Amino acid sequence: PIKSSAASDVYKRQEHIRHRLSLPYIPFADIIEEFHFSSAGHFSNFCKQFLGDTPSNLRKTLSEEPLNE
C-alpha cells in the first residue's frame, strides 16, 4: 500500500530527528528550532509518541549503537 503524503512526511521527520539525536554534538535546542517545535515540551512529547522515548534516552541509546559497516 502507498503511504499518504502526510504519513510519509511524518515518517521522514521522525527519521531526520532520530538521526540528529544520534549526533551528540547537536544541542537539543538546535533540533527544536530546526524542526519548528514550539517548546522543549512539545519536542519531548513528539519523541515519546513517535520515537518511543525521551530525547535524552533516545540520544543515549542511538549514540551507543555501533555503526553498520
Side-chain angles (χ1 to χ4, degrees):
I2 297 173
K3 289 184 179 179
S4 73
S5 178
S8 178
D9 289 347
V10 170
Y11 178 76
K12 287 178 190 172
R13 188 174 196 214
Q14 290 172 17
E15 290 309 300
H16 287 295
I17 291 170
R18 185 186 310 275
H19 176 70
R20 297 296 192 281
L21 287 170
S22 74
L23 305 172
Y25 55 85
I26 299 179
F28 290 140
D30 289 2
I31 299 170
I32 291 165
E33 183 177 331
E34 178 181 356
F35 292 94
H36 307 287
F37 287 98
S38 60
S39 69
H42 285 156
F43 175 58
S44 182
N45 289 339
F46 177 92
C47 289
K48 287 186 266 188
Q49 181 177 353
F50 292 103
L51 302 176
D53 210 339
T54 64
S56 296
N57 287 341
L58 287 164
R59 171 158 282 171
K60 185 175 188 304
T61 301
L62 294 168
S63 64
E64 290 176 351
E65 289 180 357
L67 297 176
N68 293 330
E69 294 184 12

